[in-house]
Amino acid sequence: MPHDASPPSKRSSDRQNSGDRASGASSNGKEHGPPSPGKDDNIDEPAGDARDFAESSKAAPPPRLDRDVRPPLPPRPTNISLIQDSGAIAGQRQHQSPRAQLLSRATTAISKADIQAQPHKDSPKKVSPTSEQSTPPQGPSQAFGSIRSLKGLGRSDAGDTASIRSFATTVGHGGDNESLLGDGLFGSSQDLPTWRLFSNEEGGIEPEELDRSEDEEIDMNFYKEFDAVAGVSEVGQDEEKLIRQWKAKQKHFLILTSAGKPVYSRHGDDQLISSSIGIIQTIISFYEANDDHLKGFSAAGARFTIMSQGPLYLVAISKLGESDTQLRAQLEALYMQILSTLTLPTLNHLFANRPSTDLRRPLKGTEVLLSALADSFTRGSAPALLSALECLKMKKSQRQIINNTLLRTRCPSLLYGLIVAGGRLVSVARPRKHSLHPSDLQLVFNMLFEAGGIKAGGGENWIPICLPGFNKNGYLYMYVSFVTASPSSSSSADNNNNDEAIENPEDISITQDTVAILLISADKESFYELRKMRDQLIDELDKNNSMQTIRSAIRQGRPAPTDIVPGTVIRHFLYKSKGNVQFMMPSFEPHFPTMLDRRKLLSLYHALHAGVHAKNAHLKVYHCISRNAVSLAWVTPLFELYCVAGPNASRNALAQSANKVIQWMKREEERVFIIGGAVF
Amino acid sequence: MVDSGNASAPKPSSSVKLVLLGEAAVGKSSLVLRFVNNAFQENKEPTIGAAFLTQKTALPTRTIKFEIWDTAGQERFASLAPMYYRNAQSALVVYDLTKPTSLIKAKHWVAELQRQASPGIVIALVGNKLDLTKGAGGEAAALPAEEEGVEGEGEGEGDGDARKITTQEGRSYAEEEGLLFFETSAKSGVNVQEVFTAIANAIPETQMKTSRQGAGGGAGGGTQAALGSDRVNLTGGKGEAKEGCAC
């Protein structure tokens, strides 16, 4: 049924019919009667879509149980009896919601704690006191708090250790894992206070005390995510405490050699991680010895994804619910960062000579780059998710002028010339034969804009760098010069006044209004030549007013969704143009002001992305409804669109808005994206 | 050192190419940052490749424009160093007063410079992180001791004096090799300006690549004039290099 470019509206209205009844369109559910549990909807989404796709939508609710690959389970009266056990409330819900029996997904066991967790999470406020009194085992359930939070907070079966374990061992299937963890911590932590605020303002339910305390714990954890774990060797450090801190991190990246030597760890010093490294190496090599390559496994609510690249093992440990494919892409980026430091021949040479090489020495000084990369993945990065670039929006004619200026001032040894403003591409000059690989640019941008070192140093830079996508066998040389875009502080003549800016390198505003000129050459002696080109380039850009153009484009920032489609329900979207390998997104403001909001948004995007990219799901349109957001992924050969609306938005409105976004993108394509660029 | 005979209004200005060498994390970039911006940054991230900065210093008789190559200390960048010191008139070889291996590395650099760099190169040996030591450089003692914990690069042991290399050791080596010698703190600023001034004074006027005089306009042009010779080489090597990489 779904054609490639068919607008989602029709399909979603299909869903509307079936969904309201079967998959519990939460928007409607919220308005009358007790809200159908958000997480429940979460669980249903993929099922709903799969069913959608199979055109079996209107048939009957039961198929919803056989989402995933698991066989359907027999009816479970025990379920109901347990619910009744746990208090009248649950029973009440049972009556009100025809779908209550679907509260839990197919599991092999149901524990009391799960059921008790249900009312806490989902029933309206008035109910909660009762439930608290009438369910003595609440204590235990609270004690499980941390465990549950790992396993997918509040998911009916997610809290169920037994069932998790039984599925957890499925190795290496992105789709499956996604369904297990994809709406794990952050999937369900869309129930977190900030998200719930949305539902509040739209007449939703009130958050409950128990939830909130747990949620806040997670919030706090996320804000602590980037704090350093102190070194074991440091005086007065309690190792137990450090290990607890270390384990509390939502995400770990470990790199080790196949000989078991640590190369890099995002958190913790050598002494702290050595035992973990040892265990991981043992596990991996156990499988390797049997010629069976371990790709991933789940344990303690975290997904372990392993990538082996030549002499290196890269391991991602995430509680944030990315799919294996997504985690592997992140590991790939870390590996590329290592290659970009060493080149592939050097890396292989090191290990060919001495398999027990300690790679930390040759990599010394690049830990910051690896960590910047790792942190951007932990915060959630749209460019990394979509493997696409973002460009600064400007008029086609204006960009043309900049392109031509680049070409005019081009010096003979130039390979690539880039102008980047606030992490967004303004213009590219490249040889006809070579395009720029997004993963290469990801590394470059990471070095320049995420890791503060180069910018903070001031001056111009000459950096040997291997761009693996271009050629992983050798170095290129990159000239980098930052030009302050705001005219007031363009001159650094009065040095003493600059102290503040320099001593505060984390100041985001530096990134925001800085224009970087990147000139890449294959000739390591061409610094002065490129430097001269930079001078000319800036000169001409100033003369033909392009600097002014760039400045105002930066100042304008990304448009809000409502600027793009007036009155839209869409709060945020990602649009990727597959042909241009570029993406566009509106501003995070006003709906996603904090890092945590954005992480949750990105988690939702990750879930959508995993949904439409799952190996066996040839989905074109993926509609996802939870208590906190209604979202839509729409994939055609030309583009991918992911959009998110508030929890009470109707799917029709969302679909209409999505169509309008597509129309807008078509209209603005030449402004939003760099098409062709300056080719020589 | 230079006799101040003529104190006319526009002083002659000349550019001096200077390269910083030394082990990783001894504070090369911090010295430059202090000199150029009079700033200090805790836990500065390692330099990648090399950074190029300029700064003017006024001497009694002339203005010196330093063109500074701040190189990365990591071993993998060592092969690029000749490119930076090849035409340099001066070099700053930096070690960390609290780290004995860094002086050994510094000695290697001095030897390499004496062997490979242009003959008249002025080399200054600089022991940095004076703020982590006690007693030595008068002013440093005034620094509160607890700041050492914050110092990211410091190998400090927590007690008052983390010094591992005595002033005498550095000085006697410098005298043997005919180097300028300073102990500095990029953090507190002690002796930083002095190092650069001393270098500027030590360079014979004949060696300076004098450029057009006066303020303002001279800046860009001077650089390029000084670098003319480089560019000739570049055009030669460029063709093959590009082919080599475009595979």
Side-chain angles (χ1 to χ4, degrees):
Chain A
M1 156 190 71
H3 283 292
D4 288 340
S6 74
S9 55
K10 171 177 158 274
R11 300 178 33 70
S12 58
S13 61
D14 280 359
R15 298 262 294 127
Q16 194 82 29
N17 296 338
S18 63
D20 285 353
R21 192 179 69 244
S23 77
S26 60
S27 51
N28 300 345
K30 288 228 164 74
E31 278 147 27
H32 17 251
S36 53
K39 57 185 158 250
D40 203 0
D41 291 326
N42 247 337
I43 292 165
D44 294 336
E45 288 137 21
D49 275 277
R51 203 185 36 200
D52 231 356
F53 187 63
E55 193 69 299
S56 66
S57 46
K58 283 164 209 173
R64 61 192 2 274
L65 277 177
D66 59 36
R67 58 164 316 220
D68 296 343
V69 206
R70 294 187 295 279
L73 290 179
R76 284 175 296 160
T78 43
N79 193 355
I80 293 162
S81 69
L82 269 172
I83 291 171
Q84 283 161 349
D85 248 354
S86 72
I89 316 97
Q92 197 183 330
R93 300 185 73 226
Q94 179 77 5
H95 293 304
Q96 286 171 344
S97 161
R99 305 174 40 249
Q101 66 176 35
L102 303 170
L103 272 179
S104 43
R105 216 162 31 137
T107 62
T108 50
I110 297 275
S111 73
K112 261 191 159 186
D114 293 333
I115 307 301
Q116 282 144 10
Q118 279 305 110
H120 281 305
K121 295 291 301 174
D122 300 313
S123 51
K125 181 176 149 208
K126 60 168 172 82
V127 175
S128 59
T130 345
S131 73
E132 273 168 24
Q133 288 152 11
S134 66
T135 54
Q138 193 207 328
S141 113
Q142 237 168 346
F144 285 176
S146 62
I147 298 166
R148 284 201 294 127
S149 73
L150 301 179
K151 299 239 165 87
L153 181 74
R155 290 258 314 269
S156 55
D157 60 342
D160 182 340
T161 318
S163 66
I164 280 284
R165 287 278 151 74
S166 61
F167 300 132
T169 43
T170 50
V171 169
H173 296 295
D176 288 2
N177 302 320
E178 208 288 318
S179 65
L180 185 69
L181 290 168
D183 32 20
L185 173 62
F186 274 96
S188 59
S189 71
Q190 287 156 14
D191 295 343
L192 293 185
T194 23
W195 282 85
R196 227 184 277 124
L197 281 180
F198 299 152
S199 32
N200 282 349
E201 78 199 4
E202 279 148 51
I205 54 166
E206 288 254 322
E208 291 163 46
E209 285 308 308
L210 174 62
D211 278 350
R212 185 186 282 161
S213 61
E214 282 179 359
D215 293 344
E216 272 169 6
E217 197 180 319
I218 293 168
D219 284 10
M220 291 311 291
N221 280 343
F222 192 67
Y223 280 111
K224 280 190 220 147
E225 177 72 15
F226 303 104
D227 294 353
V229 177
V232 176
S233 47
E234 275 173 44
V235 198
Q237 286 295 346
D238 170 12
E239 189 167 346
E240 287 281 307
K241 195 178 125 210
L242 289 178
I243 289 177
R244 251 199 324 278
Q245 268 177 21
W246 189 76
K247 286 187 174 164
K249 300 291 180 190
Q250 304 289 334
K251 199 155 178 178
H252 285 279
F253 289 99
L254 299 172
I255 304 176
L256 59 153
T257 69
S258 44
K261 292 229 167 149
V263 176
Y264 167 80
S265 164
R266 173 60 189 91
H267 302 292
D269 69 356
D270 277 1
Q271 224 174 318
L272 193 68
I273 61 165
S274 59
S275 59
S276 311
I277 292 273
I279 293 167
I280 286 169
Q281 198 244 350
T282 310
I283 295 173
I284 298 173
S285 43
F286 174 79
Y287 284 90
E288 294 280 324
N290 296 313
D291 256 345
D292 183 8
H293 301 289
L294 179 61
K295 288 179 173 161
F297 58 91
S298 300
R303 181 69 195 169
F304 291 65
T305 300
I306 293 142
M307 186 169 80
S308 124
Q309 284 281 10
L312 297 181
Y313 295 142
L314 297 95
V315 184
I317 306 168
S318 175
K319 296 171 187 169
L320 298 177
E322 295 104 322
S323 75
D324 271 18
T325 320
Q326 288 160 353
L327 287 173
R328 200 158 281 124
Q330 297 173 4
L331 291 177
E332 181 82 19
L334 293 180
Y335 176 65
M336 289 298 168
Q337 173 57 53
I338 291 178
L339 283 189
S340 122
T341 309
L342 295 176
T343 74
L344 184 61
T346 312
L347 181 68
N348 287 337
H349 180 78
L350 282 171
F351 284 94
N353 283 355
R354 229 160 54 94
S356 62
T357 300
D358 183 356
L359 201 58
R360 274 173 306 181
R361 206 174 146 83
L363 285 179
K364 209 172 149 199
T366 61
E367 298 88 349
V368 280
L369 300 180
L370 289 167
S371 293
L373 214 48
D375 285 354
S376 75
F377 297 144
T378 306
R379 276 195 305 271
S381 147
L385 173 66
L386 301 173
S387 43
L389 300 166
E390 192 184 8
C391 300
L392 191 68
K393 182 172 178 274
M394 59 170 61
K395 283 197 180 120
K396 188 191 174 192
S397 58
Q398 290 171 332
R399 201 180 315 267
Q400 199 59 48
I401 292 172
I402 298 175
N403 286 349
N404 291 338
T405 315
L406 255 179
L407 288 179
R408 209 165 41 242
T409 53
R410 175 174 75 93
C411 65
S413 63
L414 183 78
L415 179 63
Y416 294 121
L418 296 97
I419 302 175
V420 187
R424 282 175 282 168
L425 213 48
V426 177
S427 173
V428 185
R430 61 177 177 90
R432 188 165 299 282
K433 282 184 293 185
H434 298 294
S435 53
L436 261 174
H437 204 280
S439 69
D440 288 342
L441 278 183
Q442 186 184 11
L443 295 181
V444 171
F445 283 21
N446 177 63
M447 178 189 278
L448 300 183
F449 299 107
E450 300 291 334
I454 290 178
K455 215 168 25 203
E460 297 145 64
N461 291 271
W462 186 237
I463 300 166
I465 185 173
C466 168
L467 298 180
F470 173 75
N471 180 350
K472 56 183 160 218
N473 295 316
Y475 286 109
L476 295 175
Y477 298 86
M478 180 165 72
Y479 171 89
V480 182
S481 168
F482 288 96
V483 185
T484 316
S486 47
S488 53
S489 57
S490 62
S491 149
S492 57
D494 45 346
N495 292 322
N496 293 339
N497 295 349
N498 291 351
D499 288 9
E500 242 173 293
I502 284 158
E503 279 176 322
N504 188 8
E506 273 138 84
D507 196 345
I508 300 165
S509 68
I510 297 179
T511 315
Q512 287 311 315
D513 67 349
T514 307
V515 179
I517 311 281
L518 314 183
L519 305 174
I520 300 175
S521 164
D523 177 7
K524 72 171 169 185
E525 305 274 339
S526 56
F527 173 82
Y528 294 108
E529 188 186 348
L530 295 178
R531 183 165 190 254
K532 196 174 144 209
M533 174 183 166
R534 193 276 320 239
D535 290 344
Q536 282 176 2
L537 181 65
I538 303 250
D539 230 37
E540 294 217 10
L541 288 178
D542 269 331
K543 265 185 220 151
N544 63 26
N545 251 344
S546 295
M547 270 305 185
Q548 194 52 47
T549 311
I550 296 173
R551 267 176 215 136
S552 56
I554 298 173
R555 215 169 303 126
Q556 219 162 21
R558 302 182 179 102
T562 43
D563 297 339
I564 291 167
V565 181
T568 181
V569 292
I570 291 180
R571 290 180 169 177
H572 199 264
F573 68 83
L574 301 177
Y575 176 97
K576 175 185 175 182
S577 161
K578 287 183 172 175
N580 294 312
V581 210
Q582 291 163 36
F583 80 97
M584 193 271 171
M585 65 178 180
S587 64
F588 285 110
E589 318 290 344
H591 293 292
F592 307 95
T594 69
M595 183 173 82
L596 188 66
D597 294 335
R598 290 176 196 181
R599 173 64 239 185
K600 282 183 232 158
L601 178 66
L602 261 300
S603 287
L604 188 53
Y605 283 139
H606 275 83
L608 290 171
H609 182 270
V612 286
H613 286 89
K615 256 184 214 151
N616 304 321
H618 304 282
L619 295 176
K620 302 293 185 288
V621 176
Y622 180 6
H623 211 123
C624 190
I625 299 167
S626 70
R627 198 175 75 189
N628 302 306
V630 178
S631 53
L632 172 81
W634 181 11
V635 179
T636 78
L638 296 177
F639 64 82
E640 293 174 11
L641 175 70
Y642 305 88
C643 42
V644 173
N648 292 341
S650 87
R651 280 170 296 179
N652 272 334
L654 177 59
Q656 274 164 15
S657 290
N659 269 326
K660 283 189 180 138
V661 168
I662 298 299
Q663 282 163 18
W664 185 86
M665 291 303 309
K666 287 222 172 80
R667 206 166 56 238
E668 299 281 323
E669 193 172 34
E670 300 201 87
R671 297 179 178 191
V672 170
F673 299 130
I674 296 177
I675 298 179
V679 178
F680 55 86
Chain B
M1 300 203 170
V2 181
D3 284 285
S4 51
N6 44 356
S8 51
K11 284 186 272 189
S13 133
S14 42
S15 61
V16 167
K17 227 179 131 184
L18 182 145
V19 60
L20 277 100
L21 298 166
E23 203 182 53
V26 295
K28 296 180 292 301
S29 301
S30 295
L31 281 171
V32 177
L33 195 62
R34 173 62 73 191
F35 174 58
V36 174
N37 287 330
N38 195 23
F40 180 76
Q41 192 187 320
E42 296 282 352
N43 297 319
K44 192 183 171 306
E45 291 181 7
T47 306
I48 303 169
F52 183 83
L53 300 97
T54 58
Q55 171 73 339
K56 284 183 188 152
T57 289
L59 295 183
T61 56
R62 52 191 175 158
T63 304
I64 303 284
K65 185 186 173 205
F66 278 108
E67 292 176 0
I68 303 166
W69 272 115
D70 171 24
T71 66
Q74 281 78 23
E75 224 130 289
R76 65 175 178 282
F77 296 114
S79 61
L80 290 170
M83 198 182 116
Y84 304 117
Y85 64 63
R86 194 187 300 131
N87 296 308
Q89 294 113 295
S90 56
L92 225 96
V93 178
V94 187
Y95 67 95
D96 177 348
L97 287 170
T98 67
K99 200 178 172 201
T101 58
S102 67
L103 180 60
I104 296 170
K105 184 73 200 166
K107 289 177 178 176
H108 288 159
W109 279 121
V110 170
E112 180 168 342
L113 286 171
Q114 287 171 340
R115 211 170 49 240
Q116 316 255 20
S118 39
I121 188 167
V122 174
I123 304 173
L125 182 69
V126 173
N128 192 31
K129 306 199 186 176
L130 192 61
D131 50 283
L132 296 182
T133 70
K134 228 177 202 163
E139 305 94 321
L143 281 172
E146 64 265 23
E147 278 195 50
E148 285 161 23
V150 188
E151 172 74 70
E153 295 171 343
E155 311 283 306
E157 310 203 23
D159 61 335
D161 194 353
R163 179 190 279 272
K164 294 279 167 52
I165 299 169
T166 62
T167 311
Q168 190 47 44
E169 189 179 353
R171 172 164 292 134
S172 62
Y173 171 72
E175 278 166 7
E176 267 169 50
E177 301 291 336
L179 318 172
L180 299 169
F181 176 72
F182 285 92
E183 290 191 340
T184 62
S185 165
K187 185 171 181 171
S188 66
V190 176
N191 269 346
V192 175
Q193 194 64 43
E194 286 79 354
V195 176
F196 287 89
T197 313
I199 286 177
N201 281 322
I203 293 176
E205 203 148 358
T206 49
Q207 273 214 10
M208 305 237 178
K209 309 206 170 172
T210 34
S211 61
R212 282 161 291 167
Q213 305 195 345
T223 317
Q224 280 150 31
L227 305 168
S229 57
D230 280 350
R231 277 210 301 283
V232 178
N233 294 343
L234 291 172
T235 358
K238 170 213 63 199
E240 30 146 321
K242 202 168 182 183
E243 277 166 35
C245 205
C247 50

